[in-house]
Amino acid sequence: MRHQINHRIQHLARLGNWHYSAGGDRLEGSDEACRLFGLPAGAILHPRKLAERIHPQDQAALQTAWRELMNGKHFTVELRVRDGESWRWLYISGEAVDADMQAIGFVQDIHARKQRELKLGAQAQQLALAMTASGEGLWDWNLAAQQVSHNAQWCHLLGLDPSHLSHATDFFIHLIHPHDRPAVQARIGACLQGKGSYVSEHRLRHHDGHYVWVLDRGDVVERDDAGTVLRMVGSLSDISQRRAADEELRIAASVFDAQEGMLIVSADQLILRANRAFGEICGYNSARLAGQSPLLLRTGKYDLDFYNGIWEAVASSGSWQGELWIKHQQGRFIPVWMTGSAIRDDSGAISHYIVTLSDLSQHKAAEREIHRLAFYDPLTGLPNRRLLLERIDHALLTHQRNGNEGALLFIDLDNFKPLNDSYGHEMGDRLLKEAAERLGQRLRQDDTIARLGGDEFVVLLENLDSEPAKAASQAEHVAELLGSLLAQPYHLGSHIHHCSGSIGIALFSDSAGRADELLRQADLAMYQAKTAGRNTLRFYDQAMQTAVQLRLAQEHALREAIAAQQFVLHYQKQVDNNGVATGYEALLRWEHPQRGLTPPGYFIALAEETGLIIPLGTWVLEQACQQLARWGKHKDSAHLRLAVNISPLQFQQDDFADTVIAILQQSGATPERLELELTESLLLSDIAHAADKMHKLRKHGVLFSLDDFGTGYSSLSYLKHLPLNQLKIDKSFVDDIMHSTSADAIVRTIIALAHSLELTVIAEGVETAQQRDFLLANGCQHHQGYLYEKPAPLS
């Protein structure tokens, strides 16, 4: 009885059950299941036999379901089974019930439902085709969920991908052009309040960024019992072409085909149209400029704030005009005179702008030609006398303000007249052009080269050293370089001509601030050079000429002395309060071949100016460290320290600390016996970097003494930050301690300061017993001076 009831229930529900046994690879089903599969009641089948009854298009779905079952997973599948000459849709579900692959499931007839779904799908497709043919986009707004749905045509109109489209109401609202958004929201609000259907013409943002004009219509289709709007639907049409046509009619009313370039620009600052004259000015196809921003023509000479300022001026005052540069389609820059005007609609809002351009290229070229003829030599293109005098005036004013020296070089070509006389002016002109090119090769950007006429050139040098002697040396260096360039052979076609230059030099400081006077002085100096034999140079001031020659001779001699190792070290003893030697100071001397032993006052300043102090200082350190290493090998001298003076330029080298460390390592000297003497001015010029170098060397054991203490700007604030070991009282104070109460007070203060900072203090220049006794009585326990020993070579 129960079996009959189950059978009847399954038949009424058109639902059958099945059982699969992997051991026998057999499939059994209830009577209803067999009927649905098109099999006789009680049929037992191999699964592959059943698969032969499945629609070919559903075989893949069946295989996927079977793999799920074999993997012990639940599966569901919809497929078609042969039913006579037709096919029947079935829904099959199943799952494994034990590890031996026993599986059960059910099968249900879903043919009627599938037929309804297919019919509805076909109807929906027909409706979609009809909407697509009409070009209408549809939207459906669910106000309760605040979501909007759109059809494919709506998405296509705006270039949007339906699969990535947001359905949030805010997304839809933000597609509306900002200028149109308030009016659209007001119309929708009126519709929601029951004040009629919603109709609006406005702009929506396309996916690529431009705006599309649309006709948007809609109405409320569903409310709840309280009258609250639940749903609103509508349609969307693209009216861009109609709006463009309307705009064209408005534009046509304006005078457009003028002789000057003209643009019609939208309120959004996009080009609507450009006339033919505009295209000729900027090189663009005027028809292709539509939709482009006028910034297409920007040159980079102005920033965006400049252009925004123009639009703001037009919007506020109605117009703007001015000169600016635009970029041609080929990349060159064009000067134009631009005017901009705002056109407003009936409501007073700006509907578009009219921009006109006039090409100023010819006008500018004429201005440049006038300027060139007035200020430049037509043959060489160099500044002429008029422009040169203006630049000299400006340079002299700058010299008076900042104190930097300058010079004027007056150049006259030697042996030029015979070339002109023998081969004609054309050959002479070729030589003058080449001479001008040679002179311009080696000058700085701030310098000026001019041609006065004939074979006379002038070079204006600015921003030289503020010290006249150094400036003269710099000017002489440039003059020698230019002279060597001019003296090289000139290849003029098949003819080779030899020419040189006589150069006169005048410094700014000798001109009394007058350009004509400076030019006259340089001219006179040039004639002195001519008189001296040509291909040479002369300064206007003979005393300056002598000074420069002396300085150059000294520099040359100093370079030769370094190369020939003409320098030696003398040593002066440093003693404690008992007169016992604690160390020495190494003092540099020059054994000049003619002048004999030369003190440092004669050559140290020159070595600093020329940079020769760096190799010279390195040599002194090497010699001093080698001497320390020799002392270290003997018990009676191993305790001695050796003090070495360090020049500011030497200390300022980035690798100074590394150089000292390398010299110590190479020589084998004990770092704790090397004492570097630094001056206050050296430290105060850049105390942070000085401290870094000193700390680095102090970590290796090197000692530091502050030389000439008290002569500069002594300050506790910097002393406490530096790794000093010793303060050195300057000889000038020691000389006066027996004659000046202020010197006495300064010496006592230095000694007290050193003790408070736990530094040793040494006095230099001690020459009398009275000086020694005063220093000892006031706590200065270390001395150096002629009283104990004069500097001398080590015996």
Side-chain angles (χ1 to χ4, degrees):
M1 184 67 179
R2 182 177 297 174
H3 175 73
Q4 291 177 346
I5 292 173
N6 286 338
H7 175 75
R8 186 59 180 165
I9 290 173
Q10 288 191 8
H11 182 70
L12 290 173
R14 305 182 70 78
L15 177 72
N17 63 284
W18 54 266
H19 171 263
Y20 170 71
S21 173
D25 194 20
R26 50 189 281 167
L27 181 69
E28 301 179 35
S30 66
D31 291 347
E32 184 63 20
C34 290
R35 189 185 69 78
L36 293 176
F37 283 129
L39 301 172
I44 298 174
L45 285 179
H46 187 282
R48 284 193 293 274
K49 289 292 185 179
L50 182 61
E52 294 174 356
R53 302 184 58 78
I54 304 302
H55 193 289
Q57 294 179 0
D58 301 333
Q59 290 289 338
L62 177 63
Q63 292 173 7
T64 300
W66 189 257
R67 284 194 297 271
E68 293 290 314
L69 182 64
M70 292 298 99
N71 290 327
K73 298 179 181 178
H74 176 81
F75 81 91
T76 60
V77 64
E78 292 182 358
L79 45 74
R80 287 162 287 185
V81 177
R82 183 173 296 281
D83 184 14
E85 297 299 323
S86 62
W87 300 91
R88 178 178 298 278
W89 278 97
L90 300 179
Y91 175 82
I92 305 173
S93 177
E95 64 181 12
V97 297
D98 57 28
D100 296 331
M101 289 308 298
Q102 298 287 329
I104 60 173
F106 69 87
V107 56
Q108 185 177 17
D109 187 344
I110 60 170
H111 190 73
R113 174 172 67 80
K114 292 295 288 188
Q115 290 296 105
R116 287 195 299 274
E117 289 179 356
L118 293 173
K119 183 177 180 181
L120 289 172
Q123 291 174 344
Q125 185 176 17
Q126 290 175 355
L127 179 59
L129 288 173
M131 295 305 300
T132 301
S134 70
E136 294 277 323
L138 299 182
W139 52 268
D140 187 338
W141 183 17
N142 184 331
L143 278 77
Q146 282 299 303
Q147 289 193 333
V148 183
S149 300
H150 312 87
N151 70 347
Q153 185 63 21
W154 190 97
C155 297
H156 176 72
L157 190 149
L158 296 178
L160 300 171
D161 185 346
S163 63
H164 296 92
L165 186 65
S166 170
H167 297 287
T169 302
D170 287 346
F171 172 78
F172 166 74
I173 293 297
H174 282 93
L175 289 177
I176 303 172
H177 193 287
H179 292 171
D180 302 341
R181 196 175 298 155
V184 174
Q185 290 175 317
R187 293 186 183 108
I188 292 176
C191 180
L192 295 177
Q193 294 171 13
K195 298 180 180 179
S197 300
Y198 157 70
V199 179
S200 174
E201 289 188 9
H202 56 266
R203 290 161 289 183
L204 292 179
R205 188 175 67 251
H206 192 275
H207 179 64
D208 64 13
H210 80 278
Y211 282 89
V212 179
W213 275 101
V214 297
L215 172 61
D216 200 10
R217 292 170 291 194
D219 211 342
V220 174
V221 296
E222 184 178 357
R223 299 177 183 267
D224 61 13
D225 294 339
T228 302
V229 177
L230 300 178
R231 188 173 170 215
M232 184 176 177
V233 298
S235 63
L236 197 72
S237 302
D238 185 344
I239 60 170
S240 297
Q241 290 185 351
R242 176 172 66 78
R243 293 289 302 201
D246 293 344
E247 188 70 16
E248 288 285 344
L249 290 175
R250 284 194 293 271
I251 294 172
S254 301
V255 178
F256 191 72
D257 290 326
Q259 294 299 312
E260 59 187 359
M262 185 176 292
L263 290 178
I264 307 298
V265 181
S266 71
D268 295 329
Q269 298 170 14
L270 294 177
I271 297 173
L272 299 176
R273 283 188 61 186
N275 71 351
R276 178 181 51 80
F278 179 86
E280 291 174 353
I281 291 173
C282 66
Y284 286 91
N285 184 320
S286 56
R288 295 182 180 178
L289 286 172
Q292 301 280 353
S293 168
L295 291 177
L296 175 72
L297 305 176
R298 65 181 298 191
T299 63
K301 288 179 174 287
Y302 322 101
D303 57 20
L304 288 176
D305 289 341
F306 172 81
Y307 295 102
N308 291 335
I310 293 178
W311 291 117
E312 290 171 4
V314 174
S316 61
S317 65
S319 64
W320 179 92
Q321 62 179 347
E323 180 180 326
L324 67 147
W325 292 81
I326 64 172
K327 185 169 68 174
H328 191 275
Q329 189 268 342
Q330 295 177 350
R332 67 178 184 271
F333 293 172
I334 305 170
V336 297
W337 183 264
M338 189 186 96
T339 61
S341 303
I343 306 300
R344 300 181 182 273
D345 58 20
D346 295 339
S347 67
I350 294 177
S351 60
H352 54 277
Y353 300 90
I354 305 295
V355 178
T356 61
L357 297 177
S358 298
D359 190 349
L360 299 179
S361 298
Q362 292 185 354
H363 175 70
K364 290 290 185 181
E367 286 184 345
R368 288 194 299 271
E369 181 62 14
I370 293 171
H371 184 269
R372 188 185 68 82
L373 293 174
F375 292 100
Y376 290 88
D377 170 51
L379 176 64
T380 62
L382 297 176
N384 60 15
R385 177 185 292 269
R386 180 178 176 183
L387 182 56
L388 173 67
L389 289 173
E390 287 186 7
R391 293 189 179 179
I392 294 175
D393 281 332
H394 181 270
L396 289 173
L397 287 174
T398 303
H399 160 67
Q400 292 171 4
R401 285 196 299 266
N402 61 28
N404 286 345
E405 187 62 271
L408 202 66
L409 279 56
F410 199 110
I411 305 171
D412 185 88
L413 299 182
D414 304 323
N415 199 30
F416 176 76
K417 189 175 183 298
L419 176 70
N420 246 359
D421 294 343
S422 302
Y423 296 95
H425 291 286
E426 181 180 352
M427 191 71 76
D429 288 348
R430 291 178 62 179
L431 186 142
L432 291 172
K433 289 180 180 179
E434 185 169 341
E437 291 176 0
R438 293 185 185 184
L439 291 172
Q441 288 175 3
R442 298 300 176 90
L443 294 180
R444 302 168 303 174
Q445 187 174 1
D446 293 340
D447 300 329
T448 297
I449 173 175
R451 180 181 177 226
L452 299 189
D455 60 343
E456 293 179 338
F457 297 88
V458 172
V459 174
L460 174 63
L461 303 178
E462 298 184 60
N463 296 316
L464 301 181
D465 197 283
S466 59
E467 184 179 333
K470 294 181 182 178
S473 178
Q474 293 170 337
E476 183 172 51
H477 174 73
V478 174
E480 289 176 343
L481 179 61
L482 297 181
S484 65
L485 289 174
L486 293 174
Q488 295 175 11
Y490 293 83
H491 296 271
L492 308 174
S494 59
H495 178 69
I496 298 178
H497 185 73
H498 295 278
C499 186
S500 59
S502 296
I503 305 176
I505 306 173
L507 296 181
F508 284 7
S509 54
D510 295 328
S511 67
R514 291 173 47 196
D516 58 344
E517 178 64 16
L518 184 66
L519 190 60
R520 185 189 68 82
Q521 292 173 354
D523 190 13
L524 290 173
M526 182 274 295
Y527 278 104
Q528 293 177 12
K530 285 277 189 187
T531 304
R534 304 190 179 192
N535 193 23
T536 186
L537 60 91
R538 286 292 183 269
F539 281 86
Y540 170 73
D541 186 351
Q542 186 58 44
M544 183 64 69
Q545 175 77 17
T546 302
V548 169
Q549 290 177 342
L550 177 60
R551 186 180 181 279
L552 288 176
Q554 290 175 334
E555 180 181 344
H556 179 71
L558 186 57
R559 291 183 184 277
E560 286 189 339
I562 294 174
Q565 297 185 356
Q566 295 175 358
F567 292 92
V568 295
L569 290 183
H570 284 197
Y571 297 82
Q572 187 174 36
K573 185 187 299 183
Q574 296 176 337
V575 301
D576 60 15
N577 58 341
N578 296 316
V580 177
T582 58
Y584 289 83
E585 181 179 4
L587 300 168
L588 186 62
R589 300 290 186 266
W590 180 1
E591 288 188 333
H592 195 281
Q594 286 79 38
R595 290 189 294 269
L597 199 62
T598 305
Y602 178 79
F603 60 85
I604 288 297
L606 181 61
E608 288 276 4
E609 292 173 10
T610 59
L612 294 174
I613 195 67
I614 295 174
L616 198 54
T618 301
W619 179 85
V620 171
L621 278 171
E622 290 172 347
Q623 297 300 310
C625 288
Q626 290 171 13
Q627 183 59 52
L628 274 176
R630 286 193 288 270
W631 282 343
K633 296 177 182 178
H634 303 284
K635 183 178 180 180
D636 57 348
S637 60
H639 68 286
L640 295 175
R641 292 181 180 178
L642 187 54
V644 177
N645 288 283
I646 301 300
S647 84
L649 188 62
Q650 183 183 8
F651 186 81
Q652 288 163 7
Q653 299 302 303
D654 292 337
D655 61 347
F656 173 75
D658 294 332
T659 299
V660 174
I661 293 169
I663 291 173
L664 283 166
Q665 292 173 345
Q666 291 169 4
S667 65
T670 302
E672 290 77 9
R673 299 299 173 192
L674 177 63
E675 190 170 69
L676 302 182
E677 291 194 359
L678 309 176
T679 61
E680 277 188 288
S681 59
L682 181 156
L683 298 177
L684 291 175
S685 62
D686 193 345
I687 192 168
H689 285 88
D692 289 343
K693 293 177 183 178
M694 291 173 68
H695 281 294
K696 183 174 182 179
L697 288 169
R698 191 70 192 90
K699 288 179 181 179
H700 281 77
V702 177
L703 306 177
F704 289 96
S705 175
L706 188 55
D707 196 8
D708 300 337
F709 185 74
T711 61
Y713 301 95
S714 308
S715 169
L716 286 173
S717 64
Y718 83 86
L719 286 178
K720 63 184 180 181
H721 295 298
L722 299 176
L724 293 169
N725 305 95
Q726 178 178 267
L727 295 183
K728 196 168 191 178
I729 302 174
D730 189 65
K731 183 179 184 298
S732 61
F733 297 132
V734 176
D735 288 342
D736 291 341
I737 56 177
M738 305 309 298
H739 314 290
S740 169
T741 55
S742 61
D744 294 354
I746 291 173
V747 171
R748 290 191 186 98
T749 301
I750 294 173
I751 295 171
L753 177 61
H755 290 167
S756 67
L757 295 175
E758 299 182 352
L759 302 176
T760 62
V761 59
I762 184 172
E764 67 177 359
V766 180
E767 298 181 354
T768 68
Q770 290 87 346
Q771 293 170 342
R772 175 198 63 197
D773 294 342
F774 175 88
L775 292 166
L776 289 173
N778 286 280
C780 180
Q781 304 297 319
H782 297 83
H783 307 150
Q784 176 184 343
Y786 282 9
L787 179 63
Y788 305 100
E789 182 179 272
K790 291 184 177 181
L794 291 177
S795 57

mmCIF file of all heavy atoms in Angstrom, residues 1 4 129 164 176 208 234 259 292 327 358 370 410 455 501 534 584 591 640 711 746:
data_model
loop_
_atom_site.group_PDB
_atom_site.id
_atom_site.type_symbol
_atom_site.label_atom_id
_atom_site.label_comp_id
_atom_site.label_asym_id
_atom_site.label_seq_id
_atom_site.Cartn_x
_atom_site.Cartn_y
_atom_site.Cartn_z
ATOM 1 N N MET A 1 0.830 -1.209 0.000
ATOM 2 C CA MET A 1 0.000 0.000 0.000
ATOM 3 C C MET A 1 0.866 1.263 0.000
ATOM 4 O O MET A 1 0.620 2.221 -0.727
ATOM 5 C CB MET A 1 -0.908 -0.035 1.244
ATOM 6 C CG MET A 1 -1.889 1.134 1.296
ATOM 7 S SD MET A 1 -3.114 1.050 -0.018
ATOM 8 C CE MET A 1 -4.095 2.478 0.337
ATOM 9 N N GLN A 4 2.449 1.995 -3.310
ATOM 10 C CA GLN A 4 1.495 2.564 -4.273
ATOM 11 C C GLN A 4 1.312 4.062 -4.021
ATOM 12 O O GLN A 4 1.183 4.863 -4.945
ATOM 13 C CB GLN A 4 0.157 1.830 -4.157
ATOM 14 C CG GLN A 4 0.232 0.385 -4.645
ATOM 15 C CD GLN A 4 -1.099 -0.356 -4.450
ATOM 16 O OE1 GLN A 4 -1.988 0.128 -3.727
ATOM 17 N NE2 GLN A 4 -1.232 -1.514 -5.092
ATOM 18 N N LEU A 129 14.789 44.517 -29.237
ATOM 19 C CA LEU A 129 15.085 44.881 -30.620
ATOM 20 C C LEU A 129 14.283 46.102 -31.040
ATOM 21 O O LEU A 129 14.791 46.993 -31.742
ATOM 22 C CB LEU A 129 14.780 43.690 -31.540
ATOM 23 C CG LEU A 129 15.748 42.504 -31.450
ATOM 24 C CD1 LEU A 129 15.235 41.328 -32.270
ATOM 25 C CD2 LEU A 129 17.132 42.921 -31.949
ATOM 26 N N HIS A 164 29.977 46.840 -15.940
ATOM 27 C CA HIS A 164 30.717 47.588 -14.925
ATOM 28 C C HIS A 164 29.961 48.837 -14.476
ATOM 29 O O HIS A 164 30.534 49.730 -13.868
ATOM 30 C CB HIS A 164 32.095 48.007 -15.468
ATOM 31 C CG HIS A 164 32.996 46.851 -15.776
ATOM 32 N ND1 HIS A 164 33.056 46.268 -17.025
ATOM 33 C CD2 HIS A 164 33.849 46.158 -14.975
ATOM 34 C CE1 HIS A 164 33.922 45.277 -16.994
ATOM 35 N NE2 HIS A 164 34.408 45.182 -15.773
ATOM 36 N N ILE A 176 25.322 64.099 -14.952
ATOM 37 C CA ILE A 176 24.722 65.335 -15.480
ATOM 38 C C ILE A 176 25.754 66.459 -15.417
ATOM 39 O O ILE A 176 26.496 66.584 -14.436
ATOM 40 C CB ILE A 176 23.469 65.706 -14.667
ATOM 41 C CG1 ILE A 176 22.458 64.538 -14.676
ATOM 42 C CG2 ILE A 176 22.817 66.970 -15.218
ATOM 43 C CD1 ILE A 176 21.282 64.746 -13.748
ATOM 44 N N ASP A 208 34.103 58.799 -22.592
ATOM 45 C CA ASP A 208 35.394 59.349 -23.015
ATOM 46 C C ASP A 208 35.616 60.792 -22.538
ATOM 47 O O ASP A 208 36.648 61.392 -22.825
ATOM 48 C CB ASP A 208 35.557 59.273 -24.536
ATOM 49 C CG ASP A 208 34.534 60.129 -25.291
ATOM 50 O OD1 ASP A 208 33.853 60.968 -24.650
ATOM 51 O OD2 ASP A 208 34.407 59.968 -26.522
ATOM 52 N N GLY A 234 11.627 55.969 -17.380
ATOM 53 C CA GLY A 234 11.723 56.981 -18.413
ATOM 54 C C GLY A 234 12.576 56.540 -19.578
ATOM 55 O O GLY A 234 13.100 55.411 -19.609
ATOM 56 N N GLN A 259 39.060 88.453 -42.133
ATOM 57 C CA GLN A 259 40.430 88.291 -42.601
ATOM 58 C C GLN A 259 41.370 87.863 -41.473
ATOM 59 O O GLN A 259 42.437 87.317 -41.722
ATOM 60 C CB GLN A 259 40.938 89.602 -43.218
ATOM 61 C CG GLN A 259 40.226 90.007 -44.490
ATOM 62 C CD GLN A 259 40.388 88.971 -45.589
ATOM 63 O OE1 GLN A 259 41.485 88.503 -45.849
ATOM 64 N NE2 GLN A 259 39.274 88.620 -46.227
ATOM 65 N N GLN A 292 38.384 70.612 -29.645
ATOM 66 C CA GLN A 292 39.682 70.734 -28.990
ATOM 67 C C GLN A 292 39.682 71.925 -28.032
ATOM 68 O O GLN A 292 38.889 72.849 -28.159
ATOM 69 C CB GLN A 292 40.793 70.940 -30.030
ATOM 70 C CG GLN A 292 40.921 69.829 -31.042
ATOM 71 C CD GLN A 292 41.674 68.633 -30.491
ATOM 72 O OE1 GLN A 292 42.207 68.694 -29.384
ATOM 73 N NE2 GLN A 292 41.719 67.556 -31.234
ATOM 74 N N LYS A 327 51.588 78.352 -30.367
ATOM 75 C CA LYS A 327 52.444 77.355 -31.023
ATOM 76 C C LYS A 327 51.817 76.902 -32.334
ATOM 77 O O LYS A 327 50.665 76.467 -32.374
ATOM 78 C CB LYS A 327 52.666 76.156 -30.098
ATOM 79 C CG LYS A 327 53.648 75.131 -30.677
ATOM 80 C CD LYS A 327 54.063 74.100 -29.641
ATOM 81 C CE LYS A 327 52.932 73.198 -29.255
ATOM 82 N NZ LYS A 327 53.372 72.117 -28.348
ATOM 83 N N SER A 358 45.523 88.038 -34.551
ATOM 84 C CA SER A 358 46.241 88.697 -35.648
ATOM 85 C C SER A 358 47.705 88.304 -35.563
ATOM 86 O O SER A 358 48.322 88.418 -34.495
ATOM 87 C CB SER A 358 46.104 90.224 -35.539
ATOM 88 O OG SER A 358 44.756 90.610 -35.636
ATOM 89 N N ILE A 370 65.135 96.366 -37.412
ATOM 90 C CA ILE A 370 65.485 97.731 -37.006
ATOM 91 C C ILE A 370 66.461 97.698 -35.847
ATOM 92 O O ILE A 370 67.451 98.456 -35.814
ATOM 93 C CB ILE A 370 64.203 98.505 -36.637
ATOM 94 C CG1 ILE A 370 63.338 98.727 -37.884
ATOM 95 C CG2 ILE A 370 64.538 99.830 -35.964
ATOM 96 C CD1 ILE A 370 61.962 99.288 -37.587
ATOM 97 N N PHE A 410 90.738 95.745 -25.750
ATOM 98 C CA PHE A 410 90.665 96.365 -27.077
ATOM 99 C C PHE A 410 91.625 95.596 -27.986
ATOM 100 O O PHE A 410 92.824 95.542 -27.737
ATOM 101 C CB PHE A 410 91.074 97.833 -26.992
ATOM 102 C CG PHE A 410 90.612 98.651 -28.163
ATOM 103 C CD1 PHE A 410 89.629 99.606 -28.025
ATOM 104 C CD2 PHE A 410 91.159 98.471 -29.431
ATOM 105 C CE1 PHE A 410 89.211 100.376 -29.103
ATOM 106 C CE2 PHE A 410 90.745 99.211 -30.512
ATOM 107 C CZ PHE A 410 89.763 100.175 -30.360
ATOM 108 N N ASP A 455 89.178 96.453 -38.419
ATOM 109 C CA ASP A 455 89.699 95.221 -37.809
ATOM 110 C C ASP A 455 89.806 95.369 -36.290
ATOM 111 O O ASP A 455 90.638 94.724 -35.657
ATOM 112 C CB ASP A 455 91.058 94.878 -38.416
ATOM 113 C CG ASP A 455 92.084 95.988 -38.191
ATOM 114 O OD1 ASP A 455 91.670 97.124 -37.872
ATOM 115 O OD2 ASP A 455 93.278 95.713 -38.321
ATOM 116 N N GLY A 501 96.919 89.457 -32.992
ATOM 117 C CA GLY A 501 96.191 90.569 -32.413
ATOM 118 C C GLY A 501 97.014 91.294 -31.368
ATOM 119 O O GLY A 501 97.688 90.673 -30.545
ATOM 120 N N ARG A 534 103.670 94.217 -31.544
ATOM 121 C CA ARG A 534 102.484 93.492 -32.005
ATOM 122 C C ARG A 534 102.435 92.073 -31.429
ATOM 123 O O ARG A 534 103.393 91.592 -30.848
ATOM 124 C CB ARG A 534 102.406 93.466 -33.534
ATOM 125 C CG ARG A 534 102.423 94.874 -34.138
ATOM 126 C CD ARG A 534 102.096 94.844 -35.609
ATOM 127 N NE ARG A 534 102.097 96.215 -36.138
ATOM 128 C CZ ARG A 534 101.632 96.552 -37.322
ATOM 129 N NH1 ARG A 534 101.159 95.613 -38.127
ATOM 130 N NH2 ARG A 534 101.666 97.798 -37.714
ATOM 131 N N TYR A 584 107.783 70.126 19.277
ATOM 132 C CA TYR A 584 108.275 71.158 18.366
ATOM 133 C C TYR A 584 107.147 71.605 17.453
ATOM 134 O O TYR A 584 106.144 70.896 17.257
ATOM 135 C CB TYR A 584 109.435 70.602 17.515
ATOM 136 C CG TYR A 584 110.707 70.370 18.277
ATOM 137 C CD1 TYR A 584 110.902 69.202 19.001
ATOM 138 C CD2 TYR A 584 111.721 71.324 18.268
ATOM 139 C CE1 TYR A 584 112.073 68.973 19.710
ATOM 140 C CE2 TYR A 584 112.895 71.114 18.972
ATOM 141 C CZ TYR A 584 113.066 69.949 19.693
ATOM 142 O OH TYR A 584 114.227 69.747 20.385
ATOM 143 N N GLU A 591 114.105 77.401 0.303
ATOM 144 C CA GLU A 591 115.534 77.606 -0.014
ATOM 145 C C GLU A 591 115.638 78.038 -1.475
ATOM 146 O O GLU A 591 115.841 77.232 -2.389
ATOM 147 C CB GLU A 591 116.319 76.321 0.225
ATOM 148 C CG GLU A 591 116.486 76.001 1.706
ATOM 149 C CD GLU A 591 117.422 74.834 1.944
ATOM 150 O OE1 GLU A 591 117.541 73.969 1.052
ATOM 151 O OE2 GLU A 591 118.041 74.780 3.017
ATOM 152 N N LEU A 640 107.827 63.192 22.258
ATOM 153 C CA LEU A 640 107.709 64.526 21.660
ATOM 154 C C LEU A 640 106.495 64.631 20.723
ATOM 155 O O LEU A 640 106.196 63.721 19.955
ATOM 156 C CB LEU A 640 108.974 64.858 20.878
ATOM 157 C CG LEU A 640 110.252 65.001 21.701
ATOM 158 C CD1 LEU A 640 111.447 65.205 20.791
ATOM 159 C CD2 LEU A 640 110.119 66.157 22.695
ATOM 160 N N THR A 711 92.828 86.783 18.683
ATOM 161 C CA THR A 711 92.933 87.810 17.636
ATOM 162 C C THR A 711 91.678 87.885 16.783
ATOM 163 O O THR A 711 91.508 88.822 16.011
ATOM 164 C CB THR A 711 94.135 87.523 16.719
ATOM 165 O OG1 THR A 711 93.937 86.250 16.083
ATOM 166 C CG2 THR A 711 95.417 87.487 17.527
ATOM 167 N N ILE A 746 94.054 90.424 28.775
ATOM 168 C CA ILE A 746 93.668 89.453 27.744
ATOM 169 C C ILE A 746 94.385 88.129 27.971
ATOM 170 O O ILE A 746 93.796 87.043 27.898
ATOM 171 C CB ILE A 746 93.971 90.010 26.342
ATOM 172 C CG1 ILE A 746 93.026 91.173 26.029
ATOM 173 C CG2 ILE A 746 93.844 88.921 25.281
ATOM 174 C CD1 ILE A 746 93.340 91.900 24.742
#
